[in-house]
Amino acid sequence: MTNGTVLSSRVRLARNYEDLPFDTGKKPEEAATCISRTANALALSGLGDGFQLIRLNTLTDTQRKALAESRLISKDLLREPETAAVLLRHEDAVSVMINEEDHLRIQAVRPGLDLLGAASACFRVDDALSRQVAFAFDKQLGYLTACPTNTGTGMRASLLMHLPMLTVCKQMGNVGQIVAKVGLTIRGVYGEGNEALGNLYQVSNQVTLGRTEQELISAVTAVGHQLKDMEAVLREKTFTTSRVTLEDTIFRAWGLMKFARIMPLKEFFKHWSGVRLGAELGLLPVSLETVDALLEQCQDANLQAQAETTLSGILLDAKRALTIRKALK
Amino acid sequence: MLCEECKVNEATYTLSVMMGDEVKTRHLCGECMAKMNMTLNSGNIKNLLSSILSAITGNDTPAEKQQEVVCPRCRTTLSQFTKSGHLGCPGCYEAFHEQLQPMLLQIHGRVQHAGRQPLATEDAQRARSRQEQLTRLMEQAVALEDFETAAQLRDQLRALAAKEAQA
């Protein structure tokens, strides 16, 4: 019953060059130094194969946003597209963002619950770079970052989780408290403010200083397991006490996703969660991979990038509905 | 007692911030407390940082009269940092050490790094092997009682060590 509650695991490391000011995104000259230094260092290290250097100003606005929707780059990297760049290895979703809040953000994403896998991919890049270049590091404070909330390991380890039952049963407040007690934080991934569209949450470490990377990863992993178990218990309970209601929600979502001709983004997220739950419970004839892929394909910029034209309003929502129907055939 | 923030209304709240073993206390009226709460709850880290800092330092002295701390490397001022929540360069950590230490403790609960360190760069490795080579040559020279060469090698070693200390 618990299969697939964790969609993906992500680790990112913040790194800065000792001799450059922090906000290189706003300083074209230093930004250029940052890009060439990083690209050269990676090439010299022998790890450069497979990495592609993409300067964000060579992409269209839609292409940039599509990269962020796919979580290969952060939304923050889009703030200064003229000076930002990314070294991207598509095959296993490893990226080195350049001129973000910090000079470098080394990031790796792995499917399912695999923070260790994501972390070791980041560490390989970190080690390769640190043999070539000097990062700002202090024996007492660790890696020095632009914002004191990242000082120390500079590491943020996060899990993307689908928690529909905890949400429906109004348990997310409790969950927030449990998570905060162990120095972690949980928030909705999509939507404004406190919204959590698609019942998708990101749980990650809040603290970065004074604990080793392994300790932080263990803490996030442990909480990931705990939330997975809490969600499973509620699913089990709902399945026995109000099975018809649960099935109705899932099959209504399935019906709308399979047949609707116009699908606004918010409505998509709502039904996506129903279909995801149905797939997790083995009630619907669709794989988790197909459902998860929709999450990326059906967001605005990805739809537009695919259509190779700017769509808006009803045209965009119709394109979304079509994409869903094709995938769920 | 008047509110320490607006200095108009009667203070009805006490705000305490734990900093290590020390507790800093401020007295605020309902209005100012609500503002502070809003900043704390908005989830905006920039506001959170500046509210922590202003709660700690208080606003008793007008900003222009406060002694401004400036980072000698990038010229970022302490008030710029508290406003934006972002430091200007790695050198700011040393320049604002006194203010940063309690802030880091507040955020992370600890101020001693544990975990990974950068590997020695190839330059540093090359320097180390050069150092080893010079030391070997010096020892050989001493063994051969060629003190002039040994002294030259010793000076080279010192220069190398000084250069490394600077880096």
Side-chain angles (χ1 to χ4, degrees), chain A residues 15 17-22 101 123 126-127 130-134 136-137 139-149 151-153 207-213, chain B residues 45-46 49 73-74 81 85-93 97 100-101 103-104 107-123 125 167:
Chain A
R15 296 289 184 262
Y17 292 120
E18 168 56 41
D19 59 327
L20 296 176
F22 283 138
E101 182 183 294
F123 295 158
D126 183 34
D127 284 344
S130 82
R131 277 199 192 89
Q132 308 297 328
V133 290
F137 180 84
K139 279 213 171 93
Q140 192 217 323
L141 296 177
Y143 289 94
L144 305 179
T145 53
C147 183
T149 49
T151 312
T153 56
V207 161
T208 54
L209 177 61
R211 281 139 184 101
T212 64
E213 289 82 359
Chain B
I45 199 69
K46 284 179 192 167
L49 289 178
R73 231 177 90 182
C74 68
F81 161 55
H86 286 90
L87 294 149
C89 74
C92 289
Y93 276 89
H97 177 81
L100 265 169
Q101 206 73 5
M103 185 189 276
L104 288 165
I107 300 169
H108 302 285
R110 297 180 191 178
V111 281
Q112 177 57 56
H113 172 61
R116 288 164 60 81
Q117 294 187 16
L119 297 177
T121 59
E122 280 178 3
D123 280 351
Q125 282 168 4

Side-chain angles (χ1 to χ4, degrees), chain B residues 5-20:
Chain B
E5 187 76 24
C6 63
K7 300 187 176 65
V8 178
N9 305 323
E10 192 65 24
T12 46
Y13 289 89
T14 309
L15 176 71
S16 301
V17 181
M18 274 285 287
M19 289 172 43

